[in-house]
């Protein structure tokens, strides 16, 4: 068994809600990498106009007007966070964002006469640690100014540490939750990062950092290792006997940071078997009563890490983290 910290970063908008999964195309990307938001057009027409907008303020960041043969990227907007990072395809209208940072997390919308499509971009970063070792969850700050910082263990929606720079107060609440964090929490007074020492399986779950009401979320899973013979079916058990109203489930394939299935209690289940060049096509079966996921006719390409997340109200739980090995006969 091994432990990994998987960092999922969000700003106020809730990546965990399956409303986003079902209503938008979610793009997951590692920091520093690039992502292309596809317009779904093979070629723009001579009279086409396309606009790309970012955020709920609907800021125009790029546009193409074929009638006047004009292509524009507005990478100086929003404090130049997109400077030299936007590439617009003049044939298809697709938008590529390079060297992605947390500033680029959020909603992107493409609009034209024939297309209106929305994407939600979020960042996942992955680091590893062994049980018994320490793990540091970084705040992303280089210095604490007049900031108010709170750390919560979101799996139980419990405050575990906070900083109030104005009153010069630094507090860890390591006696909460039956003392599972006792003598294990260390706050960095310069940058606000949180270190958990001597980690155990009790510390697995979702964490939330709130800096002046701007939120980032993190996930610390513990992976159980399972193996299956190539060609056999494998069921990734949710561990649940039922899904109740208001609960939302997401299965992720972490090796490629990709959604592969999602479910709500009051709608039909959804599998995304066309992702990753169709490697899962027609081989995923999601049990909408309990949330378990079956992979049929397994291949060595299915080897990797799978995570099941569940959200109900303010509670976010890591329900399962499985490291799968597929072996040939």
């Amino acid at each position: 068994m091994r432990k990994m910290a998987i960092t999922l970063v969000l700003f106020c908008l809730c990546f965990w809600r399956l409303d986003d999964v079902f209503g938008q195309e979610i793009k997951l990307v590692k920091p520093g990498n690039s992502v292309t938001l596809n317009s779904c057009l093979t070629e723009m027409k001579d009279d086409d106009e396309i606009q790309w907008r970012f955020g709920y303020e609907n800021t125009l960041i790029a546009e193409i007007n074929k009638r006047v043969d004009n292509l524009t990227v507005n990478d100086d907007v929003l404090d130049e966070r997109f400077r030299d990072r936007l590439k617009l395809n003049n044939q298809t209208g697709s938008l590529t964002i390079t060297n992605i940072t947390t500033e680029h997390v959020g909603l992107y919308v493409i609009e034209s006469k024939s297309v209106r499509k929305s994407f939600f971009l979020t960042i996942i970063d992955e680091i590893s640690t062994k049980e018994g070792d320490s793990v540091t969850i970084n705040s992303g700050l280089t210095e604490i100014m007049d900031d108010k910082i709170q750390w919560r263990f979101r799996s139980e929606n419990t405050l575990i540490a906070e900083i109030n720079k104005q009153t010069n107060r630094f507090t860890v609440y390591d006696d909460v939750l039956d003392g599972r964090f006792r003598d294990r929490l260390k706050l960095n007074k310069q940058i606000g990062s949180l270190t958990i020492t001597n980690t155990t399986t009790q510390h697995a779950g979702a964490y939330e950092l709130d800096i002046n009401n701007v939120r980032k979320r993190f996930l610390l899973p513990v992976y159980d290792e399972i193996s299956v013979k190539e060609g056999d079916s494998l069921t990734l058990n949710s561990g649940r006997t039922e899904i109740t109203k208001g609960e939302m489930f997401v299965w992720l394939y972490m090796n490629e940071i990709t959604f592969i299935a999602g479910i709500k209690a009051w709608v039909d289940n959804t599998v995304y078997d066309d992702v990753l060049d169709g490697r899962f096509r027609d081989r995923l079966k999601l049990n909408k009563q309990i949330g378990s996921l079956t992979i049929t006719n397994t291949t060595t390409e299915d080897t990797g890490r799978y995570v099941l997340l569940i959200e109900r109200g303010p509670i976010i739980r890591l329900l399962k983290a499985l490291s799968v090995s597929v072996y040939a006969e």
Side-chain angles (χ1 to χ4, degrees):
M1 187 180 292
R2 68 173 186 255
K3 178 178 296 181
M4 287 190 177
I6 306 175
T7 305
L8 293 90
V9 182
L10 292 183
F11 290 85
C12 298
L13 305 173
C14 194
F15 150 70
W16 308 88
R17 288 196 177 278
L18 289 184
D19 296 307
D20 292 332
V21 176
F22 286 91
Q24 304 166 358
E25 182 173 338
I26 306 295
K27 291 288 187 178
L28 307 178
V29 64
K30 291 186 177 182
N33 284 4
S34 300
V35 66
T36 296
L37 309 180
N38 291 309
S39 68
C40 294
L41 298 175
T42 54
E43 187 175 1
M44 294 179 64
K45 298 178 181 178
D46 291 339
D47 62 344
D48 271 345
E49 295 181 39
I50 280 181
Q51 291 187 335
W52 280 98
R53 296 184 178 272
F54 171 72
Y56 287 93
E57 293 79 14
N58 222 25
T59 303
L60 183 65
I61 58 172
E63 60 182 329
I64 297 176
N65 188 329
K66 278 292 191 179
R67 287 183 296 181
V68 295
D69 197 26
N70 184 54
L71 183 153
T72 306
V73 291
N74 302 319
D75 58 3
D76 57 344
V77 298
L78 301 172
D79 299 323
E80 299 188 347
R81 72 182 65 178
F82 291 104
R83 173 71 66 189
D84 300 324
R85 286 183 164 96
L86 299 180
K87 299 183 184 299
L88 198 53
N89 187 307
N90 195 38
Q91 275 69 50
T92 65
S94 296
L95 180 70
T96 299
I97 309 160
T98 63
N99 191 21
I100 288 171
T101 72
T102 54
E103 287 189 308
H104 307 119
V105 169
L107 179 68
Y108 293 79
V109 176
I110 178 175
E111 292 183 307
S112 72
K113 292 179 180 178
S114 57
V115 175
R116 191 185 191 283
K117 188 177 180 182
S118 60
F119 304 82
F120 188 84
L121 175 64
T122 193
I123 288 177
I124 291 186
D125 197 9
E126 188 171 44
I127 59 175
S128 62
T129 185
K130 294 179 181 178
E131 187 168 1
D133 286 353
S134 298
V135 61
T136 296
I137 310 176
N138 292 309
S139 67
L141 299 175
T142 57
E143 182 182 5
I144 301 175
M145 306 299 287
D146 293 328
D147 298 309
K148 184 177 181 181
I149 296 174
Q150 291 187 330
W151 285 96
R152 288 183 176 274
F153 185 53
R154 278 300 301 273
S155 294
E156 303 293 341
N157 198 30
T158 300
L159 182 66
I160 58 174
E162 64 180 333
I163 296 173
N164 190 326
K165 188 66 171 178
Q166 291 180 333
T167 60
N168 203 34
R169 183 183 177 189
F170 302 83
T171 308
V172 294
Y173 303 101
D174 56 3
D175 58 345
V176 298
L177 301 173
D178 299 322
R180 74 178 66 174
F181 291 102
R182 185 167 291 128
D183 300 324
R184 285 183 164 96
L185 299 179
K186 297 184 183 301
L187 264 179
N188 187 307
K189 296 182 179 181
Q190 280 69 51
I191 60 175
S193 296
L194 180 69
T195 297
I196 307 168
T197 63
N198 191 21
T199 53
T200 73
T201 55
Q202 283 190 311
H203 306 122
Y207 292 79
E208 181 177 85
L209 169 63
D210 187 313
I211 304 176
N212 301 326
N213 297 318
V214 177
R215 296 179 178 89
K216 301 179 184 181
R217 288 176 183 167
F218 305 80
L219 182 66
L220 180 65
V222 176
Y223 285 92
D224 290 325
E225 296 183 353
I226 56 177
S227 60
V228 62
K229 185 172 68 175
E230 187 172 17
D232 287 351
S233 295
L234 172 67
T235 296
L236 308 179
N237 290 308
S238 69
R240 297 291 296 273
T241 57
E242 65 175 341
I243 300 174
T244 59
K245 187 174 182 179
E247 290 184 327
M248 292 170 279
F249 282 57
V250 171
W251 280 100
L252 296 172
Y253 179 63
M254 292 307 304
N255 287 50
E256 303 288 342
I257 312 178
T258 303
F259 288 106
I260 57 173
I263 190 169
K264 294 181 183 179
W266 55 89
V267 300
D268 290 338
N269 54 307
T270 300
V271 294
Y272 305 97
D273 57 2
D274 58 345
V275 298
L276 303 174
D277 298 322
R279 75 172 66 169
F280 291 108
R281 185 166 291 126
D282 299 325
R283 296 192 301 116
L284 297 180
K285 299 183 184 299
L286 186 60
N287 186 313
K288 66 179 180 180
Q289 276 74 46
I290 61 175
S292 295
L293 180 68
T294 298
I295 307 171
T296 63
N297 192 24
T298 55
T299 73
T300 54
E301 281 192 313
D302 301 332
T303 294
R305 300 181 307 282
Y306 297 79
V307 166
L308 172 61
L309 300 176
I310 180 174
E311 180 189 35
R312 183 180 177 88
I315 304 297
I316 299 168
R317 286 201 171 98
L318 168 66
L319 212 56
K320 286 289 180 177
L322 302 169
S323 178
V324 174
S325 176
V326 181
Y327 59 92
E329 290 188 86

